[in-house]
Amino acid sequence: MTEPTHDETHGGALGERLNWLRAAVLGANDGIVSTAGLVVGVAGATDDRSALLTAGLAGLLAGSMSMAAGEYVSVSTQRDSEKAALALEKRELREQPEAELEELTGLLEGRGLSREVAREAAEQLTARDALRAHARVELGIDPDQLTNPWHAAWASFLAFTAGALLPLLAMVLPPAGWRLAVTVVSVLAALVLTGWSSARLGAADPGRAMLRNVAGGALAMGVTYAAGALLGAAGV
């Protein structure tokens, strides 16, 4: 008889994985869609390879740096908030330990433990490491795994760059008559893949994620191509 398996991810591991997933998928999707929209828009106005390459590289560099800087600032703010919360908790534990023990007991009791069991568990957790117990139960923070802004920034930078390279290369490498078709097909295929991957890793519905990605990418390329074509026709 086959033993039942249980591969559901719990606790901090899931939260950490989803944070990395969010940064990676956001960066890759943004790189794919924004660069595709840029080069397709330029392609609507001109078929000059140098212009397409210049626009694509400029978009890649600007976008990847912007994503990295934004992620660094965002995660730094989160890390500062976590440190401030831990410092406050440490001071409260030092100044009013009995009140904090009672608070921890109440939190554990609110999770379904009886009053007696919750009190005993709170006392044992406090004796072992009071700050760690309150950080995890009360604040939902692991003091040993605070968010790292540099990791998040590099992840976003690399993910955006990887995503942006696809439409850029798809637009400048093929012959002029094939550029637009190759780019559109490549971008939509990549968006299907990133949508499926993000949904699978996040235990969500793949169909909905893929549809959102493809619809957003197709709309972006359609709008920018139409704008480029109008500007090209107007001689701008």
Side-chain angles (χ1 to χ4, degrees):
M1 178 180 294
T2 303
E3 292 294 329
T5 58
H6 183 72
D7 56 3
E8 180 182 358
T9 306
H10 293 280
L14 177 61
E16 182 180 358
R17 188 180 75 174
L18 291 179
N19 283 336
W20 281 100
L21 175 63
R22 174 189 63 82
V25 170
L26 177 61
N29 277 353
D30 211 18
I32 294 169
V33 175
S34 63
T35 306
L38 180 60
V39 295
V40 167
V42 175
T46 179
D47 60 358
D48 182 69
R49 191 187 301 269
S50 296
L52 293 170
L53 180 60
T54 300
L57 283 176
L60 185 155
L61 293 173
S64 60
M65 295 300 295
S66 176
M67 286 290 295
E71 197 68 19
Y72 180 84
V73 170
S74 174
V75 175
S76 293
T77 301
Q78 179 183 343
R79 186 182 178 90
D80 291 343
S81 298
E82 291 172 344
K83 286 184 173 180
L86 289 172
L88 176 60
E89 197 63 39
K90 186 175 183 179
R91 186 175 76 245
E92 290 177 344
L93 285 167
R94 183 177 62 250
E95 296 176 352
Q96 41 189 355
E98 286 301 321
E100 289 298 298
L101 178 60
E102 181 62 30
E103 181 182 33
L104 183 58
T105 301
L107 290 170
L108 293 172
E109 190 176 3
R111 295 189 175 189
L113 299 180
S114 66
R115 174 69 182 180
E116 294 76 14
V117 174
R119 182 71 179 191
E120 181 180 356
E123 290 174 349
Q124 291 185 13
L125 290 171
T126 299
R128 182 177 301 172
D129 191 328
L131 180 60
R132 185 182 303 277
H134 279 267
R136 289 181 172 177
V137 177
E138 180 182 349
L139 305 175
I141 297 174
D142 186 341
D144 296 327
Q145 295 184 356
L146 297 182
T147 52
N148 189 313
W150 285 109
H151 289 172
W154 275 110
S156 293
F157 177 87
L158 294 175
F160 186 98
T161 300
L165 281 173
L166 174 69
L168 174 59
L169 295 177
M171 182 60 75
V172 300
L173 292 182
W178 288 86
R179 289 173 187 166
L180 186 60
V182 169
T183 301
V184 171
V185 171
S186 300
V187 166
L188 295 183
L191 292 176
V192 168
L193 179 60
T194 57
W196 180 87
S197 299
S198 64
R200 292 292 296 173
L201 291 173
D205 177 25
R208 186 173 300 177
M210 291 187 293
L211 181 60
R212 283 196 301 261
N213 274 12
V214 170
L219 179 62
M221 288 187 289
V223 170
T224 54
Y225 181 80
L230 288 173
L231 291 173
V236 178

